[in-house]
Amino acid sequence: MTVGFFLSTHTIDEWLSSYGYLVVFLLVMIESIGVPVPGETALIGAALYAGSTGKLEIEWVIAVAIAGAIIGDNIG
């Protein structure tokens, strides 16, 4: 029996408001390892969240996404 792992965009939005850059880093890293999680969705959500609320800086969103992708790629 397969257990599905599902993250809605609402869940990602809640995580972004609570944990910010860490969510982007972890989801992009885990996706780069090869696990099917919504890393790109989190990245787009973080960019929209940064632009609409000003609580995240877009430069840091880009930097942590790059770091997560590189580290995840090297792990996986």
Side-chain angles (χ1 to χ4, degrees):
M1 182 166 73
T2 303
V3 176
F5 183 70
F6 179 73
L7 289 176
S8 68
T9 54
H10 180 70
T11 302
I12 293 172
D13 286 340
E14 288 179 1
W15 287 357
L16 283 172
S17 65
S18 298
Y19 304 109
Y21 304 111
L22 180 63
V23 172
V24 176
F25 176 79
L26 291 175
L27 287 177
V28 170
M29 182 184 73
I30 292 169
E31 184 181 49
S32 293
I33 290 172
V35 179
V37 296
E40 292 174 8
T41 303
L43 181 56
I44 293 169
L48 293 172
Y49 186 77
S52 64
T53 65
K55 293 182 180 179
L56 297 177
E57 297 292 328
I58 192 66
E59 294 86 4
W60 284 107
V61 170
I62 294 167
V64 298
I66 290 170
I70 292 170
I71 291 171
D73 187 49
N74 285 317
I75 291 172

Short mmCIF file of all heavy atoms in Angstrom, two decimals:
data_model
loop_
_atom_site.label_atom_id
_atom_site.label_comp_id
_atom_site.label_asym_id
_atom_site.label_seq_id
_atom_site.Cartn_x
_atom_site.Cartn_y
_atom_site.Cartn_z
N MET A 1 0.84 -1.17 0.00
CA MET A 1 0.00 0.00 0.00
C MET A 1 0.89 1.24 0.00
O MET A 1 1.83 1.34 0.77
CB MET A 1 -0.89 -0.02 1.23
CG MET A 1 -1.83 1.16 1.27
SD MET A 1 -3.16 0.98 2.47
CE MET A 1 -2.31 1.20 4.00
N THR A 2 0.57 2.18 -0.86
CA THR A 2 1.34 3.40 -0.98
C THR A 2 0.66 4.51 -0.21
O THR A 2 -0.54 4.73 -0.32
CB THR A 2 1.46 3.81 -2.46
OG1 THR A 2 2.04 2.74 -3.18
CG2 THR A 2 2.31 5.04 -2.60
N VAL A 3 1.44 5.21 0.57
CA VAL A 3 0.91 6.35 1.31
C VAL A 3 1.32 7.60 0.56
O VAL A 3 2.50 7.85 0.34
CB VAL A 3 1.48 6.39 2.75
CG1 VAL A 3 1.01 7.62 3.47
CG2 VAL A 3 1.11 5.12 3.49
N GLY A 4 0.35 8.39 0.13
CA GLY A 4 0.64 9.61 -0.62
C GLY A 4 0.99 10.77 0.30
O GLY A 4 0.49 10.87 1.41
N PHE A 5 1.86 11.63 -0.15
CA PHE A 5 2.25 12.81 0.59
C PHE A 5 1.77 14.01 -0.20
O PHE A 5 2.18 14.21 -1.33
CB PHE A 5 3.77 12.85 0.76
CG PHE A 5 4.25 14.01 1.58
CD1 PHE A 5 4.00 14.05 2.95
CD2 PHE A 5 4.94 15.04 1.01
CE1 PHE A 5 4.44 15.10 3.72
CE2 PHE A 5 5.38 16.10 1.76
CZ PHE A 5 5.13 16.13 3.12
N PHE A 6 0.86 14.78 0.37
CA PHE A 6 0.24 15.88 -0.36
C PHE A 6 0.41 17.18 0.41
O PHE A 6 0.10 17.24 1.60
CB PHE A 6 -1.24 15.58 -0.59
CG PHE A 6 -1.97 16.67 -1.31
CD1 PHE A 6 -1.77 16.87 -2.65
CD2 PHE A 6 -2.83 17.50 -0.62
CE1 PHE A 6 -2.43 17.89 -3.31
CE2 PHE A 6 -3.49 18.52 -1.27
CZ PHE A 6 -3.29 18.71 -2.63
N LEU A 7 0.90 18.18 -0.26
CA LEU A 7 0.99 19.52 0.31
C LEU A 7 0.15 20.46 -0.54
O LEU A 7 0.38 20.57 -1.75
CB LEU A 7 2.43 20.03 0.32
CG LEU A 7 3.39 19.39 1.29
CD1 LEU A 7 4.79 19.95 1.09
CD2 LEU A 7 2.96 19.61 2.70
N SER A 8 -0.79 21.13 0.06
CA SER A 8 -1.59 22.09 -0.67
C SER A 8 -0.88 23.44 -0.69
O SER A 8 0.04 23.70 0.10
CB SER A 8 -2.97 22.25 -0.02
OG SER A 8 -2.85 22.87 1.24
N THR A 9 -1.31 24.30 -1.58
CA THR A 9 -0.72 25.64 -1.63
C THR A 9 -1.04 26.42 -0.37
O THR A 9 -0.25 27.26 0.06
CB THR A 9 -1.19 26.41 -2.87
OG1 THR A 9 -2.63 26.43 -2.88
CG2 THR A 9 -0.68 25.77 -4.15
N HIS A 10 -2.17 26.13 0.25
CA HIS A 10 -2.53 26.78 1.51
C HIS A 10 -1.53 26.40 2.61
O HIS A 10 -1.11 27.25 3.40
CB HIS A 10 -3.95 26.39 1.92
CG HIS A 10 -4.39 27.02 3.20
ND1 HIS A 10 -4.65 28.36 3.31
CD2 HIS A 10 -4.61 26.49 4.43
CE1 HIS A 10 -5.00 28.63 4.56
NE2 HIS A 10 -4.99 27.51 5.25
N THR A 11 -1.14 25.13 2.64
CA THR A 11 -0.15 24.67 3.62
C THR A 11 1.18 25.36 3.40
O THR A 11 1.82 25.82 4.35
CB THR A 11 0.03 23.15 3.52
OG1 THR A 11 -1.23 22.52 3.72
CG2 THR A 11 1.02 22.64 4.55
N ILE A 12 1.60 25.47 2.15
CA ILE A 12 2.87 26.13 1.83
C ILE A 12 2.82 27.59 2.23
O ILE A 12 3.78 28.13 2.79
CB ILE A 12 3.22 25.95 0.34
CG1 ILE A 12 3.51 24.49 0.05
CG2 ILE A 12 4.41 26.82 -0.04
CD1 ILE A 12 3.66 24.16 -1.41
N ASP A 13 1.69 28.27 1.99
CA ASP A 13 1.54 29.67 2.39
C ASP A 13 1.66 29.82 3.91
O ASP A 13 2.30 30.77 4.39
CB ASP A 13 0.20 30.24 1.92
CG ASP A 13 0.17 30.50 0.44
OD1 ASP A 13 1.25 30.61 -0.17
OD2 ASP A 13 -0.95 30.59 -0.11
N GLU A 14 1.05 28.91 4.65
CA GLU A 14 1.16 28.96 6.12
C GLU A 14 2.60 28.76 6.56
O GLU A 14 3.08 29.44 7.47
CB GLU A 14 0.27 27.91 6.75
CG GLU A 14 -1.20 28.22 6.67
CD GLU A 14 -2.07 27.13 7.29
OE1 GLU A 14 -1.51 26.13 7.81
OE2 GLU A 14 -3.28 27.28 7.25
N TRP A 15 3.29 27.81 5.93
CA TRP A 15 4.69 27.55 6.27
C TRP A 15 5.56 28.77 5.96
O TRP A 15 6.47 29.10 6.71
CB TRP A 15 5.21 26.33 5.54
CG TRP A 15 4.70 25.03 6.07
CD1 TRP A 15 3.87 24.82 7.13
CD2 TRP A 15 4.98 23.74 5.54
NE1 TRP A 15 3.62 23.50 7.29
CE2 TRP A 15 4.27 22.81 6.33
CE3 TRP A 15 5.73 23.29 4.48
CZ2 TRP A 15 4.33 21.44 6.09
CZ3 TRP A 15 5.79 21.93 4.23
CH2 TRP A 15 5.10 21.01 5.03
N LEU A 16 5.29 29.42 4.81
CA LEU A 16 6.07 30.60 4.45
C LEU A 16 5.88 31.72 5.46
O LEU A 16 6.85 32.40 5.82
CB LEU A 16 5.69 31.09 3.05
CG LEU A 16 6.25 30.29 1.88
CD1 LEU A 16 5.63 30.78 0.58
CD2 LEU A 16 7.76 30.39 1.83
N SER A 17 4.67 31.92 5.91
CA SER A 17 4.44 33.00 6.87
C SER A 17 5.07 32.68 8.23
O SER A 17 5.45 33.58 8.96
CB SER A 17 2.95 33.28 7.03
OG SER A 17 2.28 32.18 7.60
N SER A 18 5.20 31.40 8.55
CA SER A 18 5.77 31.01 9.84
C SER A 18 7.29 30.83 9.79
O SER A 18 8.00 31.25 10.71
CB SER A 18 5.15 29.70 10.32
OG SER A 18 3.78 29.85 10.52
N TYR A 19 7.79 30.17 8.75
CA TYR A 19 9.20 29.78 8.70
C TYR A 19 10.01 30.45 7.60
O TYR A 19 11.23 30.32 7.58
CB TYR A 19 9.32 28.26 8.58
CG TYR A 19 8.59 27.53 9.68
CD1 TYR A 19 7.43 26.83 9.42
CD2 TYR A 19 9.06 27.57 10.98
CE1 TYR A 19 6.75 26.16 10.44
CE2 TYR A 19 8.40 26.91 12.01
CZ TYR A 19 7.24 26.21 11.72
OH TYR A 19 6.57 25.57 12.72
N GLY A 20 9.36 31.09 6.65
CA GLY A 20 10.03 31.90 5.63
C GLY A 20 11.05 31.17 4.78
O GLY A 20 10.73 30.21 4.09
N TYR A 21 12.28 31.63 4.85
CA TYR A 21 13.34 31.15 3.98
C TYR A 21 13.65 29.67 4.19
O TYR A 21 14.04 28.98 3.24
CB TYR A 21 14.62 31.97 4.19
CG TYR A 21 14.42 33.45 4.00
CD1 TYR A 21 14.49 34.33 5.07
CD2 TYR A 21 14.16 33.98 2.74
CE1 TYR A 21 14.31 35.69 4.90
CE2 TYR A 21 13.99 35.34 2.55
CZ TYR A 21 14.06 36.19 3.64
OH TYR A 21 13.87 37.53 3.46
N LEU A 22 13.49 29.19 5.40
CA LEU A 22 13.79 27.79 5.69
C LEU A 22 12.91 26.86 4.87
O LEU A 22 13.38 25.83 4.38
CB LEU A 22 13.62 27.51 7.19
CG LEU A 22 13.90 26.10 7.65
CD1 LEU A 22 15.37 25.74 7.40
CD2 LEU A 22 13.56 25.94 9.12
N VAL A 23 11.64 27.21 4.69
CA VAL A 23 10.73 26.39 3.90
C VAL A 23 11.20 26.31 2.45
O VAL A 23 11.23 25.24 1.85
CB VAL A 23 9.29 26.95 3.97
CG1 VAL A 23 8.37 26.23 3.00
CG2 VAL A 23 8.76 26.85 5.37
N VAL A 24 11.58 27.44 1.89
CA VAL A 24 12.06 27.47 0.51
C VAL A 24 13.30 26.61 0.38
O VAL A 24 13.40 25.77 -0.52
CB VAL A 24 12.34 28.91 0.04
CG1 VAL A 24 12.92 28.93 -1.36
CG2 VAL A 24 11.08 29.75 0.11
N PHE A 25 14.25 26.79 1.27
CA PHE A 25 15.48 26.03 1.23
C PHE A 25 15.22 24.53 1.30
O PHE A 25 15.70 23.76 0.47
CB PHE A 25 16.41 26.45 2.38
CG PHE A 25 17.67 25.64 2.46
CD1 PHE A 25 18.72 25.90 1.60
CD2 PHE A 25 17.80 24.61 3.38
CE1 PHE A 25 19.89 25.14 1.66
CE2 PHE A 25 18.95 23.86 3.45
CZ PHE A 25 20.00 24.12 2.59
N LEU A 26 14.45 24.11 2.30
CA LEU A 26 14.22 22.68 2.49
C LEU A 26 13.43 22.04 1.36
O LEU A 26 13.79 20.96 0.88
CB LEU A 26 13.51 22.44 3.83
CG LEU A 26 14.34 22.70 5.08
CD1 LEU A 26 13.48 22.54 6.33
CD2 LEU A 26 15.55 21.79 5.13
N LEU A 27 12.36 22.69 0.90
CA LEU A 27 11.56 22.08 -0.16
C LEU A 27 12.32 22.02 -1.49
O LEU A 27 12.24 21.02 -2.20
CB LEU A 27 10.23 22.82 -0.32
CG LEU A 27 9.22 22.58 0.79
CD1 LEU A 27 7.96 23.43 0.57
CD2 LEU A 27 8.85 21.11 0.90
N VAL A 28 13.07 23.07 -1.81
CA VAL A 28 13.87 23.04 -3.04
C VAL A 28 14.97 22.00 -2.92
O VAL A 28 15.24 21.25 -3.87
CB VAL A 28 14.44 24.44 -3.37
CG1 VAL A 28 15.46 24.38 -4.49
CG2 VAL A 28 13.31 25.40 -3.74
N MET A 29 15.60 21.90 -1.76
CA MET A 29 16.66 20.91 -1.56
C MET A 29 16.11 19.49 -1.66
O MET A 29 16.68 18.65 -2.36
CB MET A 29 17.33 21.10 -0.20
CG MET A 29 18.47 20.13 0.03
SD MET A 29 19.20 20.25 1.66
CE MET A 29 17.93 19.49 2.66
N ILE A 30 15.00 19.23 -1.00
CA ILE A 30 14.41 17.88 -1.03
C ILE A 30 13.97 17.53 -2.44
O ILE A 30 14.16 16.39 -2.89
CB ILE A 30 13.25 17.78 -0.03
CG1 ILE A 30 13.80 17.88 1.40
CG2 ILE A 30 12.47 16.50 -0.20
CD1 ILE A 30 12.74 18.06 2.47
N GLU A 31 13.42 18.50 -3.17
CA GLU A 31 13.03 18.24 -4.56
C GLU A 31 14.26 17.95 -5.42
O GLU A 31 14.23 17.08 -6.30
CB GLU A 31 12.26 19.42 -5.13
CG GLU A 31 11.75 19.16 -6.54
CD GLU A 31 11.00 20.34 -7.09
OE1 GLU A 31 11.51 21.48 -7.02
OE2 GLU A 31 9.90 20.12 -7.62
N SER A 32 15.36 18.66 -5.17
CA SER A 32 16.58 18.43 -5.94
C SER A 32 17.22 17.08 -5.63
O SER A 32 17.94 16.53 -6.46
CB SER A 32 17.60 19.54 -5.66
OG SER A 32 17.12 20.76 -6.16
N ILE A 33 16.97 16.55 -4.45
CA ILE A 33 17.45 15.22 -4.12
C ILE A 33 16.73 14.17 -4.97
O ILE A 33 17.29 13.16 -5.33
CB ILE A 33 17.26 14.94 -2.61
CG1 ILE A 33 18.23 15.80 -1.80
CG2 ILE A 33 17.46 13.47 -2.27
CD1 ILE A 33 18.01 15.76 -0.30
N GLY A 34 15.46 14.46 -5.29
CA GLY A 34 14.70 13.52 -6.11
C GLY A 34 13.35 13.14 -5.54
O GLY A 34 12.62 12.37 -6.14
N VAL A 35 13.04 13.67 -4.37
CA VAL A 35 11.75 13.38 -3.74
C VAL A 35 10.70 14.30 -4.37
O VAL A 35 10.93 15.50 -4.50
CB VAL A 35 11.84 13.62 -2.22
CG1 VAL A 35 10.50 13.36 -1.55
CG2 VAL A 35 12.93 12.77 -1.61
N PRO A 36 9.55 13.75 -4.76
CA PRO A 36 8.53 14.59 -5.40
C PRO A 36 7.76 15.47 -4.41
O PRO A 36 6.69 15.12 -3.93
CB PRO A 36 7.60 13.58 -6.08
CG PRO A 36 7.75 12.34 -5.28
CD PRO A 36 9.16 12.34 -4.77
N VAL A 37 8.35 16.60 -4.06
CA VAL A 37 7.69 17.60 -3.23
C VAL A 37 7.57 18.89 -4.04
O VAL A 37 8.30 19.08 -5.01
CB VAL A 37 8.47 17.87 -1.91
CG1 VAL A 37 8.50 16.64 -1.03
CG2 VAL A 37 9.86 18.36 -2.17
N PRO A 38 6.68 19.79 -3.66
CA PRO A 38 6.46 21.01 -4.46
C PRO A 38 7.49 22.11 -4.21
O PRO A 38 7.17 23.18 -3.71
CB PRO A 38 5.06 21.44 -4.03
CG PRO A 38 4.94 20.96 -2.63
CD PRO A 38 5.70 19.65 -2.60
N GLY A 39 8.73 21.86 -4.58
CA GLY A 39 9.78 22.86 -4.39
C GLY A 39 9.59 24.08 -5.26
O GLY A 39 9.76 25.22 -4.81
N GLU A 40 9.23 23.87 -6.52
CA GLU A 40 9.01 24.99 -7.43
C GLU A 40 7.78 25.79 -7.01
O GLU A 40 7.77 27.02 -7.11
CB GLU A 40 8.85 24.49 -8.86
CG GLU A 40 10.12 23.91 -9.43
CD GLU A 40 9.92 23.28 -10.80
OE1 GLU A 40 8.82 23.43 -11.37
OE2 GLU A 40 10.85 22.65 -11.28
N THR A 41 6.76 25.10 -6.53
CA THR A 41 5.57 25.79 -6.05
C THR A 41 5.91 26.65 -4.84
O THR A 41 5.43 27.78 -4.72
CB THR A 41 4.47 24.77 -5.68
OG1 THR A 41 4.19 23.96 -6.82
CG2 THR A 41 3.21 25.46 -5.21
N ALA A 42 6.73 26.14 -3.96
CA ALA A 42 7.16 26.91 -2.78
C ALA A 42 7.97 28.13 -3.20
O ALA A 42 7.83 29.20 -2.62
CB ALA A 42 7.97 26.04 -1.84
N LEU A 43 8.80 27.96 -4.22
CA LEU A 43 9.62 29.07 -4.70
C LEU A 43 8.74 30.17 -5.29
O LEU A 43 8.92 31.35 -5.00
CB LEU A 43 10.63 28.57 -5.73
CG LEU A 43 11.58 29.59 -6.32
CD1 LEU A 43 12.35 30.32 -5.24
CD2 LEU A 43 12.52 28.91 -7.29
N ILE A 44 7.78 29.79 -6.11
CA ILE A 44 6.86 30.78 -6.68
C ILE A 44 6.02 31.42 -5.59
O ILE A 44 5.82 32.64 -5.58
CB ILE A 44 5.97 30.12 -7.76
CG1 ILE A 44 6.82 29.72 -8.96
CG2 ILE A 44 4.84 31.05 -8.18
CD1 ILE A 44 6.12 28.84 -9.95
N GLY A 45 5.54 30.60 -4.65
CA GLY A 45 4.77 31.14 -3.54
C GLY A 45 5.56 32.12 -2.70
O GLY A 45 5.05 33.15 -2.27
N ALA A 46 6.84 31.80 -2.47
CA ALA A 46 7.70 32.69 -1.68
C ALA A 46 7.94 34.00 -2.43
O ALA A 46 7.96 35.08 -1.80
CB ALA A 46 9.02 32.02 -1.37
N ALA A 47 8.11 33.93 -3.73
CA ALA A 47 8.30 35.16 -4.52
C ALA A 47 7.05 36.03 -4.47
O ALA A 47 7.14 37.25 -4.29
CB ALA A 47 8.65 34.80 -5.96
N LEU A 48 5.89 35.41 -4.62
CA LEU A 48 4.64 36.17 -4.53
C LEU A 48 4.43 36.71 -3.13
O LEU A 48 3.97 37.85 -2.96
CB LEU A 48 3.46 35.29 -4.95
CG LEU A 48 3.43 34.86 -6.42
CD1 LEU A 48 2.32 33.84 -6.65
CD2 LEU A 48 3.24 36.08 -7.30
N TYR A 49 4.74 35.92 -2.12
CA TYR A 49 4.62 36.34 -0.73
C TYR A 49 5.55 37.51 -0.44
O TYR A 49 5.17 38.47 0.22
CB TYR A 49 4.92 35.15 0.18
CG TYR A 49 4.68 35.41 1.64
CD1 TYR A 49 3.39 35.41 2.16
CD2 TYR A 49 5.74 35.62 2.51
CE1 TYR A 49 3.17 35.63 3.50
CE2 TYR A 49 5.53 35.85 3.85
CZ TYR A 49 4.23 35.85 4.34
OH TYR A 49 4.01 36.08 5.67
N ALA A 50 6.77 37.44 -0.97
CA ALA A 50 7.73 38.53 -0.78
C ALA A 50 7.24 39.81 -1.43
O ALA A 50 7.34 40.89 -0.85
CB ALA A 50 9.09 38.14 -1.34
N GLY A 51 6.69 39.69 -2.63
CA GLY A 51 6.22 40.88 -3.33
C GLY A 51 4.97 41.48 -2.75
O GLY A 51 4.80 42.70 -2.75
N SER A 52 4.09 40.65 -2.23
CA SER A 52 2.81 41.17 -1.76
C SER A 52 2.83 41.62 -0.30
O SER A 52 2.11 42.53 0.08
CB SER A 52 1.70 40.12 -1.94
OG SER A 52 1.95 38.98 -1.15
N THR A 53 3.67 40.98 0.53
CA THR A 53 3.67 41.33 1.96
C THR A 53 4.90 42.12 2.37
O THR A 53 4.84 42.85 3.35
CB THR A 53 3.60 40.08 2.84
OG1 THR A 53 4.79 39.31 2.66
CG2 THR A 53 2.38 39.25 2.53
N GLY A 54 6.00 41.94 1.68
CA GLY A 54 7.24 42.59 2.07
C GLY A 54 7.91 41.95 3.28
O GLY A 54 8.89 42.47 3.80
N LYS A 55 7.40 40.79 3.72
CA LYS A 55 7.98 40.12 4.89
C LYS A 55 9.21 39.29 4.52
O LYS A 55 9.97 38.92 5.40
CB LYS A 55 6.94 39.23 5.56
CG LYS A 55 5.82 40.03 6.19
CD LYS A 55 4.83 39.14 6.87
CE LYS A 55 3.72 39.97 7.49
NZ LYS A 55 2.72 39.14 8.15
N LEU A 56 9.37 38.98 3.25
CA LEU A 56 10.57 38.28 2.77
C LEU A 56 11.23 39.17 1.72
O LEU A 56 10.56 39.89 0.99
CB LEU A 56 10.20 36.94 2.13
CG LEU A 56 9.56 35.87 2.99
CD1 LEU A 56 9.21 34.66 2.14
CD2 LEU A 56 10.46 35.47 4.13
N GLU A 57 12.54 39.09 1.65
CA GLU A 57 13.29 39.81 0.63
C GLU A 57 13.52 38.88 -0.56
O GLU A 57 14.00 37.75 -0.38
CB GLU A 57 14.64 40.28 1.18
CG GLU A 57 14.53 41.27 2.32
CD GLU A 57 13.98 42.61 1.86
OE1 GLU A 57 14.23 43.01 0.71
OE2 GLU A 57 13.29 43.25 2.68
N ILE A 58 13.19 39.35 -1.76
CA ILE A 58 13.30 38.50 -2.94
C ILE A 58 14.73 38.05 -3.19
O ILE A 58 14.96 36.93 -3.65
CB ILE A 58 12.70 39.19 -4.19
CG1 ILE A 58 12.54 38.21 -5.35
CG2 ILE A 58 13.53 40.39 -4.61
CD1 ILE A 58 11.55 37.11 -5.11
N GLU A 59 15.71 38.88 -2.83
CA GLU A 59 17.11 38.50 -3.02
C GLU A 59 17.45 37.27 -2.17
O GLU A 59 18.17 36.38 -2.61
CB GLU A 59 18.04 39.66 -2.67
CG GLU A 59 17.92 40.85 -3.58
CD GLU A 59 16.81 41.82 -3.17
OE1 GLU A 59 16.17 41.62 -2.12
OE2 GLU A 59 16.60 42.80 -3.91
N TRP A 60 16.94 37.24 -0.94
CA TRP A 60 17.20 36.10 -0.06
C TRP A 60 16.42 34.87 -0.49
O TRP A 60 16.91 33.75 -0.33
CB TRP A 60 16.89 36.46 1.39
CG TRP A 60 17.95 37.31 1.99
CD1 TRP A 60 17.89 38.64 2.27
CD2 TRP A 60 19.27 36.90 2.34
NE1 TRP A 60 19.08 39.08 2.78
CE2 TRP A 60 19.94 38.03 2.84
CE3 TRP A 60 19.95 35.69 2.28
CZ2 TRP A 60 21.26 37.97 3.29
CZ3 TRP A 60 21.26 35.63 2.74
CH2 TRP A 60 21.90 36.76 3.22
N VAL A 61 15.23 35.07 -1.03
CA VAL A 61 14.46 33.94 -1.55
C VAL A 61 15.24 33.26 -2.67
O VAL A 61 15.38 32.04 -2.72
CB VAL A 61 13.06 34.39 -2.06
CG1 VAL A 61 12.36 33.28 -2.81
CG2 VAL A 61 12.21 34.88 -0.90
N ILE A 62 15.79 34.07 -3.57
CA ILE A 62 16.59 33.53 -4.68
C ILE A 62 17.85 32.84 -4.15
O ILE A 62 18.20 31.74 -4.59
CB ILE A 62 16.96 34.67 -5.67
CG1 ILE A 62 15.70 35.19 -6.36
CG2 ILE A 62 17.98 34.19 -6.70
CD1 ILE A 62 15.90 36.49 -7.11
N ALA A 63 18.52 33.48 -3.19
CA ALA A 63 19.77 32.91 -2.65
C ALA A 63 19.54 31.57 -1.96
O ALA A 63 20.31 30.62 -2.18
CB ALA A 63 20.41 33.90 -1.68
N VAL A 64 18.49 31.47 -1.13
CA VAL A 64 18.26 30.20 -0.44
C VAL A 64 17.77 29.12 -1.40
O VAL A 64 18.06 27.94 -1.21
CB VAL A 64 17.32 30.34 0.77
CG1 VAL A 64 17.91 31.25 1.82
CG2 VAL A 64 15.94 30.79 0.38
N ALA A 65 17.05 29.51 -2.45
CA ALA A 65 16.62 28.53 -3.46
C ALA A 65 17.82 27.99 -4.22
O ALA A 65 17.91 26.78 -4.48
CB ALA A 65 15.62 29.16 -4.42
N ILE A 66 18.75 28.86 -4.58
CA ILE A 66 19.97 28.42 -5.25
C ILE A 66 20.77 27.48 -4.35
O ILE A 66 21.23 26.41 -4.78
CB ILE A 66 20.83 29.63 -5.69
CG1 ILE A 66 20.13 30.39 -6.83
CG2 ILE A 66 22.23 29.20 -6.09
CD1 ILE A 66 20.76 31.73 -7.15
N ALA A 67 20.93 27.87 -3.09
CA ALA A 67 21.68 27.03 -2.14
C ALA A 67 21.00 25.68 -1.96
O ALA A 67 21.66 24.63 -1.96
CB ALA A 67 21.82 27.75 -0.80
N GLY A 68 19.69 25.67 -1.82
CA GLY A 68 18.96 24.42 -1.66
C GLY A 68 19.08 23.52 -2.86
O GLY A 68 19.25 22.30 -2.74
N ALA A 69 19.01 24.11 -4.06
CA ALA A 69 19.13 23.32 -5.28
C ALA A 69 20.53 22.72 -5.42
O ALA A 69 20.67 21.55 -5.79
CB ALA A 69 18.80 24.19 -6.51
N ILE A 70 21.54 23.49 -5.13
CA ILE A 70 22.92 22.99 -5.25
C ILE A 70 23.20 21.91 -4.22
O ILE A 70 23.74 20.85 -4.55
CB ILE A 70 23.93 24.16 -5.11
CG1 ILE A 70 23.82 25.08 -6.32
CG2 ILE A 70 25.36 23.64 -4.95
CD1 ILE A 70 24.59 26.37 -6.19
N ILE A 71 22.82 22.15 -2.98
CA ILE A 71 23.07 21.16 -1.94
C ILE A 71 22.27 19.88 -2.19
O ILE A 71 22.79 18.78 -2.06
CB ILE A 71 22.76 21.75 -0.55
CG1 ILE A 71 23.80 22.84 -0.23
CG2 ILE A 71 22.76 20.66 0.53
CD1 ILE A 71 23.48 23.66 1.01
N GLY A 72 21.00 20.04 -2.56
CA GLY A 72 20.17 18.87 -2.86
C GLY A 72 20.69 18.06 -4.03
O GLY A 72 20.68 16.83 -4.01
N ASP A 73 21.18 18.75 -5.05
CA ASP A 73 21.74 18.08 -6.21
C ASP A 73 23.00 17.29 -5.83
O ASP A 73 23.23 16.18 -6.33
CB ASP A 73 22.05 19.07 -7.31
CG ASP A 73 22.48 18.41 -8.59
OD1 ASP A 73 21.77 17.47 -9.03
OD2 ASP A 73 23.50 18.83 -9.18
N ASN A 74 23.81 17.86 -4.97
CA ASN A 74 25.04 17.17 -4.55
C ASN A 74 24.75 15.99 -3.63
O ASN A 74 25.49 15.01 -3.64
CB ASN A 74 26.00 18.14 -3.86
CG ASN A 74 26.68 19.05 -4.86
OD1 ASN A 74 27.11 18.60 -5.91
ND2 ASN A 74 26.75 20.33 -4.54
N ILE A 75 23.69 16.07 -2.84
CA ILE A 75 23.32 14.95 -1.98
C ILE A 75 22.73 13.81 -2.80
O ILE A 75 23.07 12.66 -2.61
CB ILE A 75 22.30 15.40 -0.91
CG1 ILE A 75 22.97 16.33 0.09
CG2 ILE A 75 21.71 14.19 -0.17
CD1 ILE A 75 22.00 16.98 1.07
N GLY A 76 21.82 14.18 -3.72
CA GLY A 76 21.12 13.14 -4.50
C GLY A 76 21.85 12.87 -5.73
O GLY A 76 21.84 12.07 -6.52
#
